[in-house]
Amino acid sequence: MENKKILLLAGKHTATHIVYHYLQKYFTGIEVILEEKENTKKFLRRRIRKLGLTKVIGQIAFQLCIAKPMALLSQKRVDEILLKNEMDASPIPAPVIHAVQSVNQAKTVALIKKINPGLVIVNGTRIISQKVIEAAGCKMINTHAGITPKYRGVHGMYWALVNRDIENSGVTIHYIDEGIDTGNIIDQARVKPTSQDNFITYPMLQLAAGLPLLKKAIEDYFNNEIQVKESKTESALWYHPTLWNYCYNRIFKKVK
């Protein structure tokens, strides 16, 4: 494949920084389109329509009462994972970044066409529209923090542990399509946490396991050697836990 230009289409997350710095060690000329976080009010209105007010209140309560304090208390463990796996979380250099409000706006489509990538790597964006997928003119590959299709959505490792489903605790590299984590599977790795890990550190373990798979997927793609895998597991979409979900699972299932 002659066009080996890589575009990272991503959201503003620490994981995006890590993915960029990892890939730039092996591939040259990576450009980045970085979208802003979605307006909180719009996000909540859409989520309430989908899940109901009670559940969304519970999710917000979990974030405020559990996730935010846990993130502060877990920073030492996060740093250990970063160091052990040689992951660089420093900011992406400004000159390679193209800032957009949304991954789905017309500006993004125009930028993709101008950059003309041979492959798009996706990380932490909102659901990508069909018009953007078509504008790329090439495949899009995503690293998903869960084993698909059984743990689509968010916090796949947490939910696998809650379900005592350790054999499906892990990370997936897959193609992007118009669905939510429904694209063809390229590769997967199982990830087992230690007693030091929790809701905050699970995604870091998954990312550490996923990066080498992503590198190999890119190499195989450009060498026309990539193959997709089939999965016989059921498909399910998972969301953020509510405060009462988390407390129940912490007390009775010992899942942190």
Side-chain angles (χ1 to χ4, degrees):
M1 185 176 291
E2 293 183 5
N3 184 0
K4 295 188 176 182
K5 185 183 293 185
I6 295 173
L7 169 64
L8 178 57
L9 185 61
K12 287 188 172 182
H13 309 284
T14 299
T16 296
H17 301 166
I18 294 170
V19 170
Y20 172 81
H21 289 296
Y22 181 86
L23 293 182
Q24 64 87 31
K25 291 189 292 186
Y26 303 100
F27 307 100
T28 59
I30 300 172
E31 293 195 55
V32 182
I33 295 180
L34 207 60
E35 74 166 356
E36 295 289 338
K37 290 185 178 180
E38 187 175 7
N39 178 275
T40 302
K41 289 184 179 179
K42 289 183 179 180
F43 172 80
L44 290 176
R45 281 199 296 266
R46 187 177 69 253
R47 186 56 58 87
I48 289 168
R49 286 196 299 269
K50 190 167 191 176
L51 301 179
L53 180 59
T54 301
K55 190 165 186 177
V56 172
I57 289 174
Q59 291 174 333
I60 294 171
F62 166 74
Q63 290 293 329
L64 294 176
C65 300
I66 302 292
K68 287 186 180 296
M70 186 184 288
L72 295 174
L73 296 172
S74 301
Q75 190 58 53
K76 181 179 178 181
R77 174 59 179 156
V78 170
D79 291 341
E80 288 175 355
I81 296 170
L82 292 173
L83 182 62
K84 180 180 179 180
N85 295 280
E86 298 181 345
M87 297 194 296
D88 183 356
S90 63
I92 298 172
V96 305
I97 295 175
H98 305 274
V100 297
Q101 192 66 37
S102 166
V103 71
N104 293 319
Q105 69 180 126
K107 180 181 178 181
T108 305
V109 171
L111 280 169
I112 292 173
K113 289 181 177 179
K114 181 179 179 181
I115 293 169
N116 185 32
L119 177 65
V120 177
I121 303 301
V122 176
N123 189 83
T125 68
R126 64 199 74 180
I127 302 302
I128 299 174
S129 69
Q130 186 62 35
K131 68 178 181 180
V132 175
I133 294 173
E134 292 172 355
C138 64
K139 292 289 189 180
M140 294 185 172
I141 293 178
N142 181 55
T143 303
H144 172 66
I147 295 295
T148 63
K150 194 170 187 179
Y151 293 99
R152 296 162 44 234
V154 294
H155 307 300
M157 188 169 172
Y158 170 79
W159 291 116
L161 296 173
V162 166
N163 293 335
R164 306 193 191 284
D165 188 18
I166 190 67
E167 64 268 23
N168 285 303
S169 166
V171 60
T172 299
I173 308 298
H174 67 92
Y175 283 128
I176 288 286
D177 62 13
E178 63 275 12
I180 301 176
D181 306 320
T182 54
N184 289 333
I185 298 166
I186 298 169
D187 208 350
Q188 293 178 320
R190 269 57 185 179
V191 182
K192 186 177 181 180
T194 71
S195 59
Q196 296 175 284
D197 292 304
N198 58 40
F199 186 88
I200 298 299
T201 65
Y202 298 152
M204 300 305 294
L205 295 174
Q206 291 168 290
L207 184 57
L211 288 172
L213 302 185
L214 179 60
K215 173 179 175 287
K216 185 178 186 303
I218 294 171
E219 292 170 341
D220 288 349
Y221 176 79
F222 286 134
N223 291 326
N224 296 312
E225 295 175 352
I226 204 162
Q227 295 182 355
V228 297
K229 305 177 186 298
E230 291 186 7
S231 174
K232 295 181 180 179
T233 64
E234 67 270 26
S235 178
L237 185 60
W238 299 84
Y239 297 93
H240 300 283
T242 61
L243 176 61
W244 39 91
N245 283 154
Y246 182 85
C247 291
Y248 178 89
N249 294 328
R250 181 71 181 91
I251 295 168
F252 294 103
K253 298 188 177 182
K254 311 301 181 186
V255 179
K256 294 188 287 185

